[in-house]
Amino acid sequence: MKNKLKVFKTLAWYKELKEEQAKAKMLQAKQVYQSLLAEKEKMIKEKEEDFKDLQTEKVLTAEELKAYLERLEVFFSEKEQLEKKIEAQKRELDLLLEELRQTHQEKRVAEVLRDKTYRLFYEESLKNFYRQMDDLMMLKRGK
């Protein structure tokens, strides 16, 4: 019984470590996701400022208009790439969340097994103690 208790203690400790690793991965992925969203917002603000410059009543030459359209095309392609990265990061975040749930559930199972085994071990030890006390009382009465 004592070996079983040690095994379950070790298992619970291992599952706790796995859960901590999953939490760390989740936190890191969340930070990457937040940075991608911030980068997207920054890109959009920059393009809005660029568009405000275009809205001035200044007459543009064909070359300036062509350059602006090229910048706009680059912006949209970069934005599309960034949105793909954001979507991929969101999927990864969902997978990591599911992994975290699974590891937490496994940890809880290991903890329940450890606690149940500890209670059984304690009850068995208590029974042995009382049995020995009864035997000593019987020996004392028998003299």
Side-chain angles (χ1 to χ4, degrees), residues 47-63:
K47 197 42 64 184
E48 285 175 353
E49 289 175 7
D50 197 22
F51 185 67
K52 285 180 184 176
D53 292 341
L54 184 67
Q55 288 179 340
T56 59
E57 296 184 16
K58 177 181 154 187
V59 178
L60 297 175
T61 64
E63 291 175 5

Side-chain angles (χ1 to χ4, degrees), residues 10-53:
T10 305
L11 180 64
W13 173 75
Y14 174 75
K15 294 299 181 179
E16 188 175 335
L17 287 178
K18 288 298 249 182
E19 183 183 31
E20 291 300 318
Q21 285 178 336
K23 283 180 184 178
K25 283 182 189 176
M26 180 79 170
L27 184 62
Q28 185 180 18
K30 203 172 195 178
Q31 289 173 344
V32 169
Y33 182 71
Q34 294 295 333
S35 68
L36 287 173
L37 288 177
E39 186 178 334
K40 181 181 174 185
E41 289 297 319
K42 180 182 171 190
M43 183 186 291
I44 290 172
K45 284 182 182 179
E46 287 175 358
K47 197 42 64 184
E48 285 175 353
E49 289 175 7
D50 197 22
F51 185 67
K52 285 180 184 176
D53 292 341

Side-chain angles (χ1 to χ4, degrees), residues 1-115:
M1 182 63 85
K2 202 170 192 178
N3 288 337
K4 196 175 186 181
L5 182 60
K6 285 182 182 179
V7 168
F8 283 128
K9 278 184 179 180
T10 305
L11 180 64
W13 173 75
Y14 174 75
K15 294 299 181 179
E16 188 175 335
L17 287 178
K18 288 298 249 182
E19 183 183 31
E20 291 300 318
Q21 285 178 336
K23 283 180 184 178
K25 283 182 189 176
M26 180 79 170
L27 184 62
Q28 185 180 18
K30 203 172 195 178
Q31 289 173 344
V32 169
Y33 182 71
Q34 294 295 333
S35 68
L36 287 173
L37 288 177
E39 186 178 334
K40 181 181 174 185
E41 289 297 319
K42 180 182 171 190
M43 183 186 291
I44 290 172
K45 284 182 182 179
E46 287 175 358
K47 197 42 64 184
E48 285 175 353
E49 289 175 7
D50 197 22
F51 185 67
K52 285 180 184 176
D53 292 341
L54 184 67
Q55 288 179 340
T56 59
E57 296 184 16
K58 177 181 154 187
V59 178
L60 297 175
T61 64
E63 291 175 5
E64 291 173 333
L65 190 56
K66 183 179 176 184
Y68 180 76
L69 290 176
E70 287 174 358
R71 287 194 320 258
L72 196 58
E73 188 176 315
V74 168
F75 165 75
F76 283 123
S77 67
E78 288 177 356
K79 183 179 174 190
E80 184 178 326
Q81 289 174 354
L82 192 58
E83 286 175 349
K84 285 179 183 178
K85 285 181 184 177
I86 289 171
E87 187 61 34
Q89 190 65 28
K90 184 155 178 53
R91 282 192 303 270
E92 183 180 345
L93 210 53
D94 291 340
L95 290 174
L96 288 173
L97 182 62
E98 185 60 35
E99 180 184 335
L100 181 61
R101 283 187 188 128
Q102 182 69 26
T103 55
H104 180 70
Q105 186 177 13
E106 289 173 0
K107 180 188 119 184
R108 290 294 304 143
V109 167
E111 287 175 344
V112 167
L113 286 172
R114 179 196 63 203
D115 294 345

Side-chain angles (χ1 to χ4, degrees), residues 126-138:
L126 204 55
K127 284 179 186 178
N128 286 338
F129 174 75
Y130 286 130
R131 190 177 303 123
Q132 289 173 356
M133 291 308 252
D134 286 342
D135 289 345
L136 286 175
M137 291 302 287
M138 295 295 249

